[in-house]
């Protein structure tokens, strides 16, 4: 039997092997070394930002930028309810209160109008808001121009969770360059991977220096191990940075493959009334994941039924993330909701989207999806 088709498996090969082996043989087998420095430079250059700090995960990157923005007990941080839990968890690490805000139905990204309303309410009740975190869902950039104007008017820093969006742009401007600072992720399922890893990117040298300091146990620059505050051991390994550098040389090629997959799905569902692809149209997305939104009142079938059909053919799919306001752990957190995230949660299926899928796997997926659609007509 053929190997199962995974949603978004890592895409690694010869180039990665060479970079990793060279780093291993260089002796820099530690969270410090030339590949780490070069990886930071190369990503910062690609995004057109002043600098970067490579860390052990996207979650660690989020934690650090939230700390630098002043998130702490007694403050609130606004986070979209439709996101992966890491966005909210990083807020919880700081002791700040996550406050959830609903999304736009079309893109799944944070809804600027609802945010504006929420910030007004928080100000009226005297709650200090340390930051707003915008997430670029499935690689589509949030409406950062509007979000920035709203945050600027409220005097609140805007941070970008660009964990899913490396390589995307909006109006030509790269994801990760919009907020005061952004977090990237190089987890195994993202557009490019270091197996596990992340990065803080920013135009603010002082913010970057602060993140670097906190990521290395807040050790003061003196010989005798002086510490004035509690730091973290968050640095990325030099070996993994080498893996990241290899992936970076292939990033555009890998994104193109994800885009081609998205185009295949779009074509397949173009004449299926009641279906649409989340976040489309968007020619600037890295197409990290392709999520199908199904209006079952029109189609006569549900997103979950399509997922179950694909599972029977060894093809992995996923539902949309369960919104944070529905999570037991965040049940008591405040939220301003329109119902958009709840509706998406109930009507989405995310289809295999990885750049590592081989031609035979792609044809198998498309044929199996087409078979389901035809049978349901
Ligand atoms: C993947 C992801 C993260 C976390 O990144 P890790 O590297 O897995 O810690 C954070 N936010 C979003 C939106 C993500 O998709």
């Amino acid at each position: 039997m053929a190997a199962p088709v995974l949603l978004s498996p890592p895409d690694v090969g010869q180039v990665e092997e060479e970079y990793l082996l060279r780093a291993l043989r260089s002796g820099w087998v530690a969270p410090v070394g030339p590949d780490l420095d070069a990886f930071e430079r190369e990503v910062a250059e690609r995004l057109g930002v002043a600098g970067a700090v490579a860390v052990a995960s996207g979650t660690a990157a989020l934690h650090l930028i939230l700390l630098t923005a002043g998130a702490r007990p007694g403050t609130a941080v606004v986070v979209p309810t439709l996101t992966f839990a890491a966005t909210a968890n990083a807020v919880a690490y700081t002791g700040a209160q996550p406050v959830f805000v609903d999304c736009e139905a079309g893109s799944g990204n944070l809804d600027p109008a609802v945010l504006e309303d929420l910030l007004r309410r928080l100000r009226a009740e005297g709650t200090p808001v340390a930051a707003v975190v915008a997430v670029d869902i499935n690689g589509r950039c949030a409406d950062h121009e509007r979000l920035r104007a709203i945050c600027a008017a409220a005097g609140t820093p805007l941070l970008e969770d660009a964990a899913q969006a490396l390589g995307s742009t909006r109006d030509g401007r790269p994801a990760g360059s919009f907020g005061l600072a952004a977090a990237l992720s190089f987890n195994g399922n993202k557009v490019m991977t270091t197996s596990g890893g992340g990065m803080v990117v920013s135009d603010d040298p002082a913010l970057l220096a602060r993140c670097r300091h906190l990521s290395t146990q807040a050790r003061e620059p003196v010989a005798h191990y002086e510490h004035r505050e509690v730091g973290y051991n968050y640095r990325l390994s030099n070996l993994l940075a080498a893996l990241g550098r290899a992936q970076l040389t292939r990033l555009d090629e890998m994104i193109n493959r994800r885009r081609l997959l998205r185009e295949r799905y779009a074509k397949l569902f173009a004449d299926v009334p009641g279906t649409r692809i989340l976040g489309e149209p968007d020619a600037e997305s890295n197409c990290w994941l392709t999520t199908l939104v199904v209006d079952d009142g029109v189609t006569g079938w549900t997103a979950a039924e399509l997922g179950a059909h694909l599972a029977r053919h060894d093809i992995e799919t996923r539902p949309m993330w369960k919104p944070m306001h529905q999570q037991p752990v965040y049940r008591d957190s405040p939220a301003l909701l329109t119902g958009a995230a709840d509706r998406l949660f109930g009507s989405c299926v995310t289809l295999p989207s990885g750049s590592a899928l081989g031609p035979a796997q792609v044809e198998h997926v498309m044929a199996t999806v087409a078979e389901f659609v035809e049978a349901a007509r």
Side-chain angles (χ1 to χ4, degrees), residues 140-203:
R140 181 193 169 97
C141 287
D143 190 350
H144 291 290
E145 201 175 321
R146 271 187 79 192
L147 295 177
R148 279 208 296 186
I150 291 164
C151 287
T156 307
L158 176 64
L159 303 174
E160 187 184 358
D161 179 347
Q164 307 178 353
L166 179 62
S168 300
T169 57
R170 185 167 177 126
D171 300 327
R173 188 168 166 168
S177 72
F178 290 102
L180 173 68
L184 305 176
S185 168
F186 310 120
N187 194 13
N189 65 346
K190 296 294 187 341
V191 278
M192 63 167 255
T193 186
T194 58
S195 70
M199 202 175 269
V200 171
V201 288
S202 176
D203 264 332

Side-chain angles (χ1 to χ4, degrees), residues 256-299:
N256 274 336
R257 293 164 76 97
R258 287 186 191 262
R259 285 194 174 136
L260 288 175
L261 263 174
R262 171 84 59 101
E263 280 168 24
R264 291 287 299 270
Y265 289 125
K267 214 165 164 183
L268 219 157
F269 286 104
D271 64 344
V272 183
T275 64
R276 65 179 175 96
I277 286 166
L278 185 70
E280 287 290 297
D282 180 8
E284 291 183 278
S285 171
N286 67 5
C287 298
W288 173 53
L289 294 180
T290 295
T291 296
L292 188 74
V293 189
V294 179
D295 179 349
D296 57 21
V298 177
T299 56

Side-chain angles (χ1 to χ4, degrees), residues 49-63:
V49 295
V53 180
V55 292
S57 70
T59 311
L62 280 168
H63 186 194

Side-chain angles (χ1 to χ4, degrees), residues 45-370:
E45 212 163 275
R46 174 157 181 140
L47 268 49
V49 295
V53 180
V55 292
S57 70
T59 311
L62 280 168
H63 186 194
L64 292 175
I65 63 176
L66 284 162
L67 288 170
T68 60
R72 61 178 180 278
T75 69
V77 174
V78 178
V79 171
T81 191
L82 193 73
T83 184
F84 176 57
T87 319
N89 289 346
V91 174
Y93 300 165
T94 68
Q97 172 67 60
V99 178
F100 299 115
V101 62
D102 221 316
C103 64
E104 304 170 323
S107 67
N109 283 331
L110 189 160
D111 187 323
V114 185
L115 173 68
E116 197 165 20
D117 189 9
L118 176 59
L119 289 176
R120 202 179 302 121
R121 291 176 192 219
L122 289 169
R123 188 166 29 194
E125 60 184 51
T127 304
V129 182
V132 170
V133 184
V135 182
D136 302 319
I137 293 291
N138 280 4
R140 181 193 169 97
C141 287
D143 190 350
H144 291 290
E145 201 175 321
R146 271 187 79 192
L147 295 177
R148 279 208 296 186
I150 291 164
C151 287
T156 307
L158 176 64
L159 303 174
E160 187 184 358
D161 179 347
Q164 307 178 353
L166 179 62
S168 300
T169 57
R170 185 167 177 126
D171 300 327
R173 188 168 166 168
S177 72
F178 290 102
L180 173 68
L184 305 176
S185 168
F186 310 120
N187 194 13
N189 65 346
K190 296 294 187 341
V191 278
M192 63 167 255
T193 186
T194 58
S195 70
M199 202 175 269
V200 171
V201 288
S202 176
D203 264 332
D204 181 341
L207 183 150
L208 290 164
R210 173 110 186 103
C211 288
R212 198 175 293 275
H213 179 64
L214 287 172
S215 72
T216 48
Q217 307 284 24
R219 184 181 163 191
E220 295 296 325
V222 291
H224 61 263
Y225 292 86
E226 175 100 350
H227 303 270
R228 295 183 190 163
E229 61 186 324
V230 177
Y232 305 88
N233 180 9
Y234 273 173
R235 282 295 266 168
L236 186 70
S237 159
N238 186 68
L239 292 184
L240 300 185
L243 181 51
R245 293 184 72 199
Q247 289 266 281
L248 206 52
T249 68
R250 299 182 47 238
L251 179 60
D252 291 320
E253 166 218 325
M254 293 193 291
I255 288 174
N256 274 336
R257 293 164 76 97
R258 287 186 191 262
R259 285 194 174 136
L260 288 175
L261 263 174
R262 171 84 59 101
E263 280 168 24
R264 291 287 299 270
Y265 289 125
K267 214 165 164 183
L268 219 157
F269 286 104
D271 64 344
V272 183
T275 64
R276 65 179 175 96
I277 286 166
L278 185 70
E280 287 290 297
D282 180 8
E284 291 183 278
S285 171
N286 67 5
C287 298
W288 173 53
L289 294 180
T290 295
T291 296
L292 188 74
V293 189
V294 179
D295 179 349
D296 57 21
V298 177
T299 56
W301 48 269
T302 65
E305 284 164 353
L306 172 57
H309 175 76
L310 293 175
R312 284 193 290 276
H313 292 80
D314 256 342
I315 298 169
E316 184 188 22
T317 64
R318 300 237 183 105
M320 200 65 193
W321 306 284
K322 183 174 179 176
M324 292 304 112
H325 72 271
Q326 287 198 42
Q327 299 288 353
V329 65
Y330 291 118
R331 201 177 29 214
D332 298 329
S333 297
L336 189 58
L337 305 171
T338 62
D342 286 336
R343 279 191 294 276
L344 284 175
F345 174 54
S347 60
C348 284
V349 57
T350 296
L351 302 164
S353 308
S355 55
L357 300 191
Q361 287 185 309
V362 173
E363 295 316 317
H364 172 53
V365 172
M366 297 303 158
T368 311
V369 172

